[in-house]
Amino acid sequence: KAGVTQTPRYLIKTRGQQVTLSCSPISGHRSVSWYQQTPGQGLQFLFEYFSETQRNKGNFPGRFSGRQFSNSRSEMNVSTLELGDSALYLCASSGSRGKNTEAFFGQGTRLTVV
Amino acid sequence: GDSVTQMEGPVTLSEEAFLTINCTYTATGYPSLFWYVQYPGEGLQLLLKATKADDKGSNKGFEATYRKETTSFHLEKGSVQVSDSAVYFCALHHGQNFVFGPGTRLSVLP
């Protein structure tokens, strides 16, 4: 079955702009989580959506937001981009929630802010 | 809060050498523990996991045992291959989200 698909793979944006990233989870998976990966901070949790509801949120400013659609596809949006937002954004999908759940990651979207 | 510490490397080994990557964690309760691997230009792939104390996770020759008494989950492989070159992340999950270690870059030379 198809894996987690993230689009686009690469993005270059200018400071102050906004950006929307997309994630299509594995078919049948209802949980989608987003992580930011940077060389300095490593992998940091952004938020989790399950059945169209945000269930959990990491420690990021309000410029970072997301949503999930009825088909479980998810988008995250970053407004008023800053240079420090340059990162690899990873999406993970799971068939359920809980600590034993295996997460499947997409290849990520590499965002560069100039 | 919860945290994961692991040796950051880089670790450079010759093919067929023994590999150990240390991982320790701090967490409330009893999290599940994971090792994920990231190859260049790729996302993370689950390597192995353990969900309770004394469980051993294993996959593709890699092993790790959940040690509650030492709060550790060290990754081992008896004989590494060039194809094992990647970044390895230790992680815990306590029911809300993953908490990842900083990653350990492994390079295996032929």
Side-chain angles (χ1 to χ4, degrees):
Chain A
K1 72 185 169 182
V4 179
T5 302
Q6 290 189 247
T7 56
R9 289 290 310 276
Y10 303 92
L11 265 178
I12 300 176
K13 290 287 188 179
T14 304
R15 265 183 308 174
Q17 288 187 311
Q18 75 162 21
V19 68
T20 299
L21 313 182
S22 179
C23 171
S24 292
I26 291 171
S27 177
H29 284 190
R30 292 194 293 159
S31 173
V32 174
S33 298
W34 289 88
Y35 291 81
Q36 181 195 65
Q37 185 178 21
T38 60
Q41 299 298 317
L43 280 151
Q44 294 187 288
F45 171 71
L46 281 155
F47 26 66
E48 179 206 2
Y49 286 86
F50 184 84
S51 294
E52 301 178 63
T53 302
Q54 188 180 90
R55 304 288 179 156
N56 198 10
K57 189 176 190 304
N59 189 26
F60 278 81
R63 299 186 297 107
F64 291 81
S65 63
R67 59 178 176 168
Q68 187 179 34
F69 302 94
S70 58
N71 62 358
S72 294
R73 189 177 72 86
S74 177
E75 290 181 346
M76 68 163 281
N77 183 276
V78 188
S79 62
T80 320
L81 284 165
E82 300 176 0
L83 295 178
D85 297 333
S86 295
L88 180 67
Y89 290 87
L90 292 167
C91 164
S93 89
S94 302
S96 60
R97 305 184 71 225
K99 68 174 188 173
N100 296 337
T101 300
E102 179 176 340
F104 297 84
F105 284 80
Q107 291 183 296
T109 294
R110 183 163 298 281
L111 171 64
T112 302
V113 182
V114 298
Chain B
D2 295 352
S3 65
V4 176
T5 303
Q6 63 179 108
M7 51 195 291
E8 294 199 33
V11 174
T12 303
L13 296 172
S14 297
E15 205 166 24
E16 299 183 3
F18 184 85
L19 168 71
T20 299
I21 301 178
N22 290 338
C23 169
T24 56
Y25 67 91
T26 302
T28 54
Y30 303 97
S32 290
L33 302 175
F34 300 78
W35 278 99
Y36 276 87
V37 58
Q38 186 175 35
Y39 297 100
E42 301 290 321
L44 276 66
Q45 298 177 25
L46 177 66
L47 184 58
L48 53 84
K49 71 176 186 180
T51 59
K52 62 183 187 299
D54 300 325
D55 265 2
K56 177 187 282 189
S58 61
N59 185 27
K60 300 180 182 178
F62 291 91
E63 292 182 341
T65 301
Y66 190 141
R67 300 286 187 202
K68 181 169 163 289
E69 63 277 9
T70 54
T71 61
S72 65
F73 193 55
H74 305 321
L75 182 68
E76 297 182 335
K77 187 175 185 183
S79 175
V80 294
Q81 305 301 311
V82 172
S83 58
D84 294 327
S85 298
V87 181
Y88 292 80
F89 292 92
C90 184
L92 65 83
H93 197 300
H94 48 50
Q96 296 202 25
N97 56 270
F98 284 97
V99 175
F100 288 93
T104 300
R105 182 173 299 279
L106 170 66
S107 295
V108 181
L109 306 177

